[in-house]
Amino acid sequence: MIGLALAATGLTLMLRSDLPFIRGETRRVPAQIIRHQLTRRGGATLYNAILLVPDERGGFIEVRDPLTTPFPTPVIGERLPVVHPKGYPGLARVPYPWFRGGIYAGLAYAFVMCVLEVTGLG
């Protein structure tokens, strides 16, 4: 039962964060990595890339990539494409389609297996 709740919560949170990308038009724009935000948890150092993203008024804004990694990648100064919902450059993120797809697949598999176990069909 706990596994079912965790899988459902994970899927809900993923869909909630992806909803602006699914519902509307998206923009693919070039961005530059300007630094990394460091976080220390349990003796480990984790990194989030800080992106310099063009906004829709001709300026630039700083955006923290939501993906946390144990190493500082992409490299500072690197230019790469990012995606964001039209009108919301503050939601920009580096597209990792295989990574996100893998997370969705894992959570969906866990959800289905838990449902089958709870209902006695598995």
Side-chain angles (χ1 to χ4, degrees):
M1 198 64 145
I2 292 174
L4 180 62
L6 289 174
T9 301
L11 281 170
T12 302
L13 292 174
M14 287 278 298
L15 285 170
R16 184 175 173 219
S17 71
D18 285 343
L19 200 56
F21 292 87
I22 296 168
R23 280 197 309 198
E25 186 179 342
T26 59
R27 297 277 192 237
R28 188 175 199 91
V29 297
Q32 184 170 6
I33 307 303
I34 56 173
R35 67 178 180 278
H36 291 97
Q37 178 181 353
L38 279 70
T39 307
R40 300 197 192 284
R41 283 191 211 142
T45 302
L46 302 172
Y47 301 89
N48 291 86
I50 304 297
L51 312 162
L52 190 60
V53 179
D55 66 10
E56 297 184 350
R57 290 181 264 165
F60 291 90
I61 61 170
E62 290 184 14
V63 178
R64 182 180 65 88
D65 186 38
L67 183 65
T68 302
T69 62
F71 40 86
T73 58
V75 181
I76 294 174
E78 184 176 346
R79 293 184 58 83
L80 63 154
V82 296
V83 294
H84 67 79
K86 182 180 177 183
Y88 298 95
L91 296 178
R93 65 184 183 203
V94 178
Y96 296 109
W98 290 105
F99 177 74
R100 294 191 77 75
I103 292 176
Y104 273 113
L107 287 171
Y109 177 77
F111 181 79
V112 168
M113 297 282 65
C114 290
V115 166
L116 291 175
E117 185 66 32
V118 167
T119 60
L121 298 174

